[in-house]
């Protein structure tokens, strides 16, 4: 008797950006409700999701490998074993891609929330999951998440998942951490500060020749709602108003010339283009191609 499959194929997708190859690596997804959203009428938000055939909030968690100039980086590391059982699959998918984590020489963080940084270290044994990598992030991140005063003001969930988890994950990389303000941080990769979601939240512009890709980090968490209502934010935005302003600037920038975008919470594999629709926007996923040379 033939048994039925029990899991999907590995969450991997390759995309060429000029001479650079970007590989989307899925960490899985997180399910939740819309009550975490702010500055939005929830009835309207539910209606937008229902009309998009997404009756619930399912948030993809994506990371991206960057192959450039003979080097290999990963942008964000997924959620490790800190969150739901539907996430935490970066290491499994790297193995499926034939990528040894020891070959990754740079980890670029968009920010230190647990679905981005909690895959740095195996907390069951303290093992570095990227043992040869330099850890690179904006200079604002560490001072905030290691600020005991800021931690004391947070609720218990945020203390555990944002402050404590972040500290536990990055501490083993202390001797190999590099901080930046902006500019090129890896061959062909330029840091674009986009603060508000966290004090150091950063997007990364991938550029090679005439080709560009903006990996915009957590510019959106609920793509259908936040593109339709750009002022809509999340309860875990450190600065709600600043995050909304950064989102609108990002939307204006990438929609002006139809720039290819990807995000940590756009639906896997995450590549698409943003178009202006009056005061709102719409995100159109890029068509899947068999060979990434055709992209």
């Amino acid at each position: 008797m033939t048994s039925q499959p029990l899991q999907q194929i590995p969450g991997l997708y390759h995309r060429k950006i000029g001479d650079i190859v970007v590989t989307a690596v899925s960490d899985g997804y997180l399910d939740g409700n819309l009550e975490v959203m702010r500055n939005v009428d929830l009835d309207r938000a539910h209606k937008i999701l229902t009309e998009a055939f997404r009756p619930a909030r399912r948030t993809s968690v994506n990371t991206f490998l960057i192959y450039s100039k003979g080097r290999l980086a990963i942008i964000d590391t997924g959620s490790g074993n800190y969150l739901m059982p539907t996430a935490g699959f970066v290491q499994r998918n790297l193995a499926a891609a034939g990528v040894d984590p020891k070959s990754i020489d740079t980890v670029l963080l968009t920010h230190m929330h647990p679905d981005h940084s909690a895959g740095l270290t195996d907390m069951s044994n303290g093992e570095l999951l990227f043992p040869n990598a330099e850890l690179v992030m904006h200079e604002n991140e560490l001072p905030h998440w290691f600020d005991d005063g800021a931690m004391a003001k947070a609720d218990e969930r945020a203390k555990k998942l944002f402050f404590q988890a972040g500290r536990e994950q990055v501490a083993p990389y202390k001797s190999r951490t590099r901080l930046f303000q902006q500019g090129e941080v890896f061959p062909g990769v330029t840091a674009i500060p986009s603060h508000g979601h966290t004090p150091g939240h950063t997007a990364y512009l991938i550029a090679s020749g005439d080709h560009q890709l903006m990996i915009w980090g957590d510019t959106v968490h609920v793509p259908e709602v936040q593109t339709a209502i750009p002022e809509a934010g999340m309860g875990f935005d450190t600065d709600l108003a600043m995050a909304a302003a950064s989102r609108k600037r990002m939307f204006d920038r990438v929609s002006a010339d139809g720039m290819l975008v990807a995000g940590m919470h756009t639906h896997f594999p995450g590549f698409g283009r943003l178009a202006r629709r009056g005061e709102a926007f719409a995100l159109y996923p890029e068509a899947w191609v068999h060979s990434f040379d055709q992209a």
Side-chain angles (χ1 to χ4, degrees), residues 12-292:
L12 301 162
Y13 187 81
H14 307 290
R15 179 65 161 85
K16 286 200 78 172
I17 307 297
D19 293 329
I20 297 173
V21 172
V22 177
T23 299
V25 181
S26 174
D27 188 57
Y29 61 86
L30 303 170
D31 284 337
N33 57 47
L34 292 181
E35 278 62 39
V36 297
M37 298 200 76
R38 300 291 183 268
N39 290 346
V40 63
D41 179 272
L42 293 184
D43 288 338
R44 183 183 176 194
H46 279 292
K47 185 173 186 291
I48 290 170
L49 283 187
T50 299
E51 290 177 347
F53 301 98
R54 295 185 182 274
R57 177 174 68 88
R58 172 160 290 181
T59 302
S60 288
V61 180
N62 306 323
T63 71
F64 297 89
L65 291 170
I66 310 295
Y67 295 82
S68 179
K69 304 292 185 182
R71 295 178 57 188
L72 180 58
I74 189 168
I75 302 180
D76 288 349
T77 66
S79 56
N81 59 1
Y82 275 80
L83 300 175
M84 297 178 182
T86 53
F89 302 129
V90 162
Q91 292 294 323
R92 186 182 76 179
N93 284 325
L94 288 177
V99 174
D100 184 344
K102 294 178 182 177
S103 69
I104 295 174
D105 64 73
T106 305
V107 174
L108 301 169
L109 288 185
T110 59
H111 60 298
M112 278 176 54
H113 277 169
D115 49 328
H116 303 265
S117 65
L120 281 165
T121 305
D122 185 341
M123 295 314 299
S124 68
N125 57 21
E127 177 187 359
L128 299 184
L129 295 176
F130 300 95
N132 296 318
E134 178 184 37
L135 178 61
V136 183
M137 71 183 93
H138 192 276
E139 66 179 11
N140 289 356
E141 283 294 284
L142 288 177
H144 176 73
W145 299 114
F146 279 81
D147 182 343
D148 290 338
M151 182 175 177
K153 297 175 184 177
D155 61 31
E156 289 305 311
R157 182 178 184 275
K159 285 177 182 176
K160 178 181 178 181
L161 285 181
F162 294 164
F163 286 89
Q164 192 60 42
R167 295 178 185 196
E168 291 173 352
Q169 286 291 320
V170 305
Y173 291 82
K174 183 176 181 180
S175 65
R176 57 180 75 186
T177 296
R178 171 166 55 96
L179 305 178
F180 60 75
Q181 293 181 337
Q182 58 184 6
E184 187 172 63
V185 292
F186 187 78
V189 180
T190 299
I192 310 294
S194 190
H195 303 335
H197 178 54
T198 69
H201 178 259
T202 299
Y204 293 101
L205 178 64
I206 318 300
S208 175
D210 295 330
H211 302 273
Q212 293 186 329
L213 164 69
M214 181 71 78
I215 298 180
W216 66 18
D218 278 15
T219 293
V220 300
H221 292 78
V222 190
E224 296 83 1
V225 175
Q226 291 176 285
T227 52
I229 311 170
E231 62 269 22
M234 309 301 290
F236 37 82
D237 289 336
T238 302
D239 186 319
L240 196 62
M242 185 183 293
S246 290
R247 181 164 40 257
K248 291 174 183 178
R249 283 195 299 272
M250 182 64 71
F251 283 1
D252 286 341
R253 176 172 181 169
V254 300
S255 66
D257 58 3
M259 184 185 298
L260 184 69
V261 301
M264 279 51 196
H265 302 307
T266 49
H267 302 303
F268 186 82
F271 298 98
R273 298 182 193 273
L274 192 75
R276 180 178 286 277
R277 296 290 180 260
E279 294 300 312
F281 298 83
L283 183 62
Y284 295 94
E286 184 178 57
W288 188 90
V289 294
H290 176 69
S291 168
F292 61 88

